[in-house]
Amino acid sequence: MTHEHNPQADQMGDESMVRNLEAQAIAIWPQEEPLFERYGLPADCRILDVGCGTGEISSRLARLYPHASVIAIDMLEDSLEIARDRHQDLAPGLEFRQQDAFKLEFEPHSFDLVVCRHMLQAVPRPVAVLAGFQRQLKPGGWLHLINEDYGMLHMQHGESNPDRLWHAGVMTLLENTGTDGRVGRNSFTMLHRLGMTDIHIDYIVLDTLRVERETFAQIMQAWQDGYTKTIAENTALSEQVIRDTFKQIVADILNPERYAVWHVPVISARAP
Ligand SMILES: C[S@@+](CC[C@H](N)C(=O)[O-])C[C@H]1O[C@@H](n2cnc3c(N)ncnc32)[C@H](O)[C@@H]1O
């Protein structure tokens, strides 16, 4: 297991990420869950959740498909320990294993659904990872992705300019550390070139009208806590500017007079 395949391993393993994944699941799942109806999966389906973190969504999938076999993998043993501990009531239908998304160790064409959420923006060579997912799918099986795109967050300007944080900060950090902060918008082309069919892109609208302000603010606070240092170390933005901007974003989200939105792309496609 190397950091090369999980370059944000330090941030992914930080306590702020545990908080973040909890808040993201609360904010996103209510709009995401109905999208699974499209897949028409059999009751006894086999599901693979790649980069499962603390199992927030693996557990929701195990509850949504109580007769399924859900296997959830991650590189970080500490996150898997939290997942096993929190969701032990769902075993053996839900199983957590340490595995690298670049070296999947399952029988080819053995899953009805492969899920991968909030991971592909954080790994190098996402196309290689997607090709691996395709190999795991049964013919006609579905892929369900949340691929982040840091050009899809829109906050009002104040003394600080939030666009600068997302573009000159986060997207530049990812570029400088060998990953793709625009993988959300780039996913269609990747899947098309791999020969995947039935490509859909839906958007979760994570905004201050649809999601509790407190929950939205918790996501931004967790990003600030986990990522400020690494953004400052890898871009031209100073730690002070990054902190001030996150502080303004959190305050605005909590302010009933202000509006903020994160368009979260949910990408689905079928194996031929
Ligand atoms: C932001 S978290 C998302 C967690 C979960 N999918 C969710 O939506 O709640 C991304 C996870 O991907 C994992 N990850 C990153 N690179 C990986 C790789 N090469 N193989 C397996 N997991 C990886 C990280 O360790 C982290 O736990």
Side-chain angles (χ1 to χ4, degrees):
M1 299 276 170
T2 63
H3 265 38
E4 188 207 329
H5 290 173
N6 188 2
Q8 293 179 27
D10 291 344
Q11 291 76 34
M12 295 296 181
D14 192 63
E15 67 75 33
S16 60
M17 186 56 73
V18 178
R19 283 187 268 137
N20 196 354
L21 298 181
E22 276 172 17
Q24 283 185 169
I26 291 168
I28 293 174
W29 184 250
Q31 292 178 55
E32 183 182 3
E33 181 181 349
L35 299 175
F36 285 87
E37 279 169 29
R38 173 179 295 141
Y39 311 144
L41 298 179
D44 61 348
C45 56
R46 277 175 52 83
I47 299 174
L48 176 63
D49 183 15
V50 182
C52 63
T54 51
E56 288 288 341
I57 298 306
S58 333
S59 58
R60 284 167 171 81
L61 288 168
R63 288 201 177 85
L64 185 62
Y65 298 104
H67 303 292
S69 159
V70 181
I71 300 179
I73 66 158
D74 203 285
M75 278 182 87
L76 295 182
E77 192 50 40
D78 287 355
S79 305
L80 291 168
E81 272 308 305
I82 297 173
R84 286 186 195 108
D85 188 52
R86 287 187 176 178
H87 311 300
Q88 47 186 298
D89 56 312
L90 293 164
L94 171 60
E95 193 191 327
F96 293 98
R97 295 190 199 170
Q98 189 181 33
Q99 212 174 108
D100 181 352
F102 285 84
K103 297 178 200 157
L104 297 174
E105 296 163 20
F106 303 98
E107 282 293 307
H109 312 300
S110 57
F111 289 93
D112 299 280
L113 175 69
V114 173
V115 174
C116 181
R117 301 170 79 263
H118 306 286
M119 190 194 88
L120 283 182
Q121 79 286 345
V123 296
R125 298 182 286 112
V127 175
V129 176
L130 286 171
F133 293 168
Q134 191 181 28
R135 267 194 301 280
Q136 294 306 147
L137 285 169
K138 295 177 185 174
W142 283 92
L143 188 55
H144 175 98
L145 307 166
I146 286 188
N147 292 343
E148 291 183 5
D149 190 309
Y150 295 94
M152 296 189 187
L153 290 113
H154 306 287
M155 281 91 193
Q156 290 178 276
H157 288 207
E159 275 184 29
S160 301
N161 174 356
D163 296 342
R164 202 161 157 244
L165 173 65
W166 304 122
H167 288 256
V170 181
M171 281 203 267
T172 306
L173 159 73
L174 297 189
E175 211 172 298
N176 291 346
T177 51
T179 67
D180 182 3
R182 297 177 182 83
V183 70
R185 77 194 71 171
N186 291 333
S187 302
F188 178 88
T189 305
M190 293 176 189
L191 294 171
H192 183 73
R193 287 184 181 164
L194 283 171
M196 296 291 285
T197 65
D198 282 310
I199 303 173
H200 296 261
I201 304 193
D202 298 282
Y203 285 89
I204 306 293
V205 181
L206 200 171
D207 72 354
T208 46
L209 292 172
R210 291 165 176 81
V211 172
E212 290 287 337
R213 286 178 180 271
E214 190 60 43
T215 308
F216 195 172
Q218 281 163 1
I219 297 170
M220 295 298 137
Q221 186 62 56
W223 273 349
Q224 172 177 345
D225 297 343
Y227 281 89
T228 297
K229 210 161 173 297
T230 187
I231 298 171
E233 284 167 359
N234 289 284
T235 74
L237 294 191
S238 71
E239 213 166 307
Q240 190 62 46
V241 165
I242 299 161
R243 274 190 208 293
D244 289 347
T245 312
F246 269 124
K247 214 169 147 195
Q248 177 185 296
I249 289 172
V250 169
D252 271 6
I253 289 173
L254 293 173
N255 179 346
E257 281 201 333
R258 305 282 281 177
Y259 178 79
V261 59
W262 175 15
H263 294 289
V264 183
V266 182
I267 301 131
S268 56
R270 273 189 123 169

